[in-house]
Amino acid sequence: MVLLSCMGTEFVDAYSDVLDNAEALVSALRAVDPESVTRDNWESELAEYMDALDRLEACETELYAAIFDETSGKGRIREHLRDKVGEPIKSERLARISGISEYARRVRELRNEEGFVIDSTRTRTELGQNDYFMVEIQDVDIKSRLTAQARFEQLERQPQCEICGRGPDNDGVRYLEVDHVESFVDFGDPEAVNDPSNLRTLCNECHHGKSAADNIANRRRGGADE
Ligand SMILES: [Zn+2]
């Protein structure tokens, strides 16, 4: 994120709304005598508190809209993911930042259309059930590189390492990577590099072993590293 000396008036206004609602929430809580709340009267006793809580949660999206300077939910997800390359992301946070229930669909669109490489618990078991890991953002205009879609489909087809046979559930495997059998520097045809016949799934350990060997071979030929 671009570092700004000040977030601007929209953020100040949104923050002021959050503070007002937080104070209303505290007042509502103080007005309740917890010893008088029963199974029968809790809804009426806590009505003011629950209204205040709803209003406080409702203004959180406005706060994120000001932070990311984005009025659309998808735009706020895009900005947040850009800031989180190399980090895990909680789905609950994405839901609150976007303010939309279909945040998972927006994440898939970014993955399929805009080159966002995003792992889920299927390929990284350390993640929570609906959480994500923001791997990198690829330039979708560079046709010769592995596309996010081709990577995603390869991991669907072959969810275990093709050298050691381990999957993401095995100890020592931190993540699965999609590897080019023939490195794309060897291809004249940039489309062919994403063909399933040229892709294989490797675990992080086997991938590092293989990539290290590739890079030495590339340097000997005077080629660029992958
Ligand atoms: Zn392996």
Side-chain angles (χ1 to χ4, degrees):
M1 183 158 58
V2 180
L3 190 64
L4 301 171
S5 56
C6 174
M7 289 296 289
T9 53
E10 280 184 39
F11 179 78
V12 172
D13 289 347
Y15 198 83
S16 166
D17 284 348
V18 173
L19 192 58
D20 287 348
N21 282 291
E23 282 168 352
L25 177 64
V26 171
S27 310
L29 283 169
R30 289 225 165 96
V32 173
D33 173 8
E35 296 195 2
S36 68
V37 177
T38 67
R39 180 70 179 78
D40 291 326
N41 73 7
W42 70 271
E43 274 192 281
S44 59
E45 289 291 308
L46 300 181
E48 209 182 317
Y49 150 69
M50 290 204 273
D51 281 351
L53 186 59
D54 283 347
R55 288 197 301 276
L56 179 62
E57 286 178 347
C59 59
E60 190 176 355
T61 300
E62 288 305 307
L63 195 64
Y64 288 121
I67 289 169
F68 294 113
D69 194 21
E70 275 286 347
T71 51
S72 85
K74 183 176 178 179
R76 290 191 293 277
I77 291 174
R78 184 188 292 113
E79 290 304 307
H80 185 58
L81 293 180
R82 277 187 180 145
D83 289 346
K84 301 292 278 181
V85 171
E87 294 180 48
I89 298 148
K90 290 272 175 209
S91 54
E92 292 88 348
R93 175 59 58 81
L94 283 185
R96 294 204 304 274
I97 283 176
S98 65
I100 54 178
S101 57
E102 293 208 320
Y103 66 91
R105 184 191 294 262
R106 302 286 96 80
V107 169
R108 279 199 297 278
E109 288 170 1
L110 292 167
R111 175 191 275 150
N112 294 338
E113 295 161 14
E114 299 190 27
F116 283 59
V117 181
I118 304 161
D119 277 350
S120 63
T121 187
R122 193 171 36 74
T123 45
R124 280 180 190 255
T125 47
E126 79 265 25
L127 296 176
Q129 191 54 47
N130 297 307
D131 297 341
Y132 301 101
F133 188 94
M134 184 63 211
V135 180
E136 62 175 325
I137 302 168
Q138 294 182 341
D139 187 344
V140 289
D141 294 329
I142 301 176
K143 288 278 199 305
S144 63
R145 299 206 72 166
L146 181 67
T147 62
Q149 180 68 17
R151 179 181 186 278
F152 181 75
E153 288 172 2
Q154 171 62 23
L155 290 173
E156 289 274 313
R157 272 192 305 271
Q158 176 52 266
Q160 277 96 32
C161 175
E162 291 179 39
I163 292 179
C164 69
R166 291 182 299 173
D169 297 333
N170 289 90
D171 285 346
V173 175
R174 288 191 294 122
Y175 56 88
L176 293 172
E177 197 44 90
V178 175
D179 180 57
H180 293 110
V181 177
E182 297 285 334
S183 178
F184 68 74
V185 296
D186 298 328
F187 269 93
D189 176 7
E191 302 287 333
V193 87
N194 284 305
D195 191 273
S197 65
N198 189 45
L199 300 178
R200 63 176 178 171
T201 302
L202 297 181
C203 71
N204 53 294
E205 288 181 352
C206 294
H207 184 246
H208 283 133
K210 196 261 178 184
S211 290
D214 270 2
N215 289 340
I216 290 164
N218 283 344
R219 275 200 294 278
R220 285 196 184 124
R221 285 197 303 274
D225 286 0
E226 189 170 330

